[in-house]
Amino acid sequence: PINAGDHFICVPGEAHQIVNNSENDLTYYLIADHHKADTTTYPKTGKQMLKPGNACIYPKEADYYEGEE
């Protein structure tokens, strides 16, 4: 549960979500430092959002040297 005065720190790569399951309004302030390059992983689907480029992908595991020979 979230209470008045609570604060959260979400590190890059950590999944997070706020859900208001009460009948009261939820007001919150977001302070963020958005880097130019970022990867977001969606735990439920395994998709990743890559920035810059705003590409939403399903990653495929590859050998480090695949295609580099």
Side-chain angles (χ1 to χ4, degrees):
I2 299 173
N3 298 300
D6 285 352
H7 67 276
F8 304 90
I9 299 173
C10 300
V11 298
E14 180 181 276
H16 54 279
Q17 180 178 23
I18 296 175
V19 176
N20 183 5
N21 57 6
S22 76
E23 295 184 14
N24 299 318
D25 289 338
L26 173 64
T27 302
Y28 64 95
Y29 297 95
L30 174 67
I31 301 171
D33 179 16
H34 294 284
H35 296 279
K36 290 182 180 181
D38 189 19
T39 302
T40 303
T41 301
Y42 297 87
K44 288 183 180 179
T45 61
K47 291 186 296 188
Q48 290 186 338
M49 173 66 80
L50 307 177
K51 295 180 183 180
N54 293 328
C56 194
I57 65 164
Y58 284 103
K60 174 187 152 249
E61 189 170 329
D63 182 85
Y64 180 81
Y65 294 105
E66 182 179 327
E68 302 295 331
E69 294 85 21

